[in-house]
Amino acid sequence: SMSIDPLRSGFRLHYFRDLANAGTTDLRTVRMDGNVPFSLQENCPACDVPLSTLCTFIAGGDKRRLRLGCCQECGYIGYIDRPTQEWMNRYYEEEWDNAKSRNVKEEAKRLRHGVSSEQRDAALMAKKLGVSPEELICDIGCGNGAVLKEFANLGFQNLIGVENSRYRAELAHEKYGFKTLIGNFENPEIKNALAKIKPVGLFFSSHVFEHIYDPQAAISACRDLQEEGQYFIAALPDAEFEPAVITLFWLPHLHAHTRRSFERLLNRYGYEVV
């Protein structure tokens, strides 16, 4: 029999081009050199079984390897080798959205309110679930605050956002006046700040959990900040249908969940899908 070296069965990636949105920079590569510290995620966060290597990336001129893994149990896909949490947190706080070069006060004046139909439907879902207008609603990854504004328009009065990008958090406060906590949701300081005002009647998160470094710690924190019967609404890409260019090549999406993997992850911390 003849063995095949998987590292010789590959191709060279030069750049991204998003054909659906000409001129976009959303898929720009994350630049890193050999000095970036790495950590390992060897097991599936949903099943806690070892990930099988799906593909291996080699940085140009660098002997380091970055592996993308897949769970044979639930279909989850995620990076086995990845920058440390501290490095990723700093990236989101300082580099994401070209944050350093932006003026929050000027952009808040020009920002027009708008949300997707899916985000508006999620806010309406809170009404259908019977969440009281007085209950605390926390948006994990609140961005510029637009979804919190949708909740406010529906009569919800007790709103707070958590956002890892300092620029986005300050924009949400400047534009809409919402209280925003700056940092990654797994940070104990964030959890302690929310613990002072818990319980959280509803956690909401739209396209954030594919970015969150430690989804187990994040969902565990949600559980600790809620009471029996309270809700968590999350929207995130489905690994079975997301374009391969995102699942395979875009580092900011550290995780690609299937419905099965995300439900298993929720179940581990006491949540039931309704």
Side-chain angles (χ1 to χ4, degrees), residues 13-85:
L13 179 68
H14 290 284
Y15 59 87
F16 288 110
R17 176 169 291 169
D18 184 353
L19 299 180
N21 300 286
T24 184
T25 58
D26 287 351
L27 299 184
R28 65 190 184 279
T29 54
V30 178
R31 297 189 180 277
M32 62 179 71
D33 57 27
N35 295 319
V36 174
F38 269 32
S39 66
L40 290 176
Q41 176 190 240
E42 298 181 286
N43 292 343
C44 171
C47 305
D48 205 29
V49 300
L51 295 171
S52 301
T53 299
L54 183 63
C55 61
T56 301
F57 299 98
I58 308 170
D62 192 350
K63 296 182 179 179
R64 300 174 72 183
R65 303 288 188 260
L66 189 153
R67 293 164 296 169
L68 188 69
C70 179
C71 177
Q72 301 296 325
E73 297 286 333
C74 67
Y76 163 87
I77 298 173
Y79 287 96
I80 299 172
D81 311 288
R82 54 189 184 165
T84 61
Q85 186 168 21

Side-chain angles (χ1 to χ4, degrees), residues 32 55 84 90 100 118 129 146 232 242 247 269:
M32 62 179 71
C55 61
T84 61
R90 186 167 57 251
K100 288 182 179 178
E118 291 84 0
L129 290 170
F232 173 25
E242 189 176 32
T247 304
Y269 295 96

Side-chain angles (χ1 to χ4, degrees), residues 67-115:
R67 293 164 296 169
L68 188 69
C70 179
C71 177
Q72 301 296 325
E73 297 286 333
C74 67
Y76 163 87
I77 298 173
Y79 287 96
I80 299 172
D81 311 288
R82 54 189 184 165
T84 61
Q85 186 168 21
E86 182 181 5
W87 191 94
M88 290 299 300
N89 290 344
R90 186 167 57 251
Y91 167 75
Y92 280 116
E93 184 171 336
E94 300 176 1
E95 304 295 338
W96 187 249
D97 274 353
N98 297 314
K100 288 182 179 178
S101 62
R102 304 178 80 154
N103 186 308
V104 170
K105 290 187 179 295
E106 289 301 317
E107 293 204 28
K109 294 176 183 177
R110 299 193 301 268
L111 181 64
R112 297 180 62 183
H113 178 69
V115 294

Side-chain angles (χ1 to χ4, degrees), residues 8-9 13 32 38-39 48 64 83 115 120 123 126 156 160 162 181 186 188 192 215 248 269-270 272:
R8 294 182 180 274
S9 309
L13 179 68
M32 62 179 71
F38 269 32
S39 66
D48 205 29
R64 300 174 72 183
V115 294
R120 185 173 291 108
F156 294 101
I160 192 169
V162 177
L181 303 175
E186 312 98 294
N192 291 339
L248 295 178
Y269 295 96
E272 177 186 0

Side-chain angles (χ1 to χ4, degrees), residues 174-267:
E174 182 72 22
K175 177 67 177 180
Y176 298 113
F178 295 123
K179 179 177 176 59
T180 52
L181 303 175
I182 302 173
N184 63 300
F185 188 73
E186 312 98 294
N187 188 325
E189 293 182 5
I190 298 293
K191 183 176 178 180
N192 291 339
L194 291 172
K196 295 176 181 178
I197 54 175
K198 71 175 185 179
V200 179
L202 170 70
F203 276 111
F204 172 78
S205 176
S206 177
H207 288 256
V208 172
F209 267 81
E210 63 271 28
H211 296 264
I212 282 181
Y213 200 88
D214 188 345
Q216 290 179 327
I219 295 176
S220 173
C222 290
R223 175 201 60 193
D224 294 342
L225 293 165
Q226 291 193 298
E227 295 177 346
E228 186 76 21
Q230 295 184 315
Y231 293 100
F232 173 25
I233 298 175
L236 64 163
D238 187 335
E240 294 186 30
F241 302 102
E242 189 176 32
V245 69
I246 303 291
T247 304
L248 295 178
F249 304 130
W250 203 39
L251 179 68
H253 280 197
L254 293 170
H255 314 279
H257 280 284
T258 62
R259 177 186 175 92
R260 186 179 186 185
S261 72
F262 201 64
E263 184 167 357
R264 281 191 177 187
L265 184 58
L266 291 169
N267 292 162

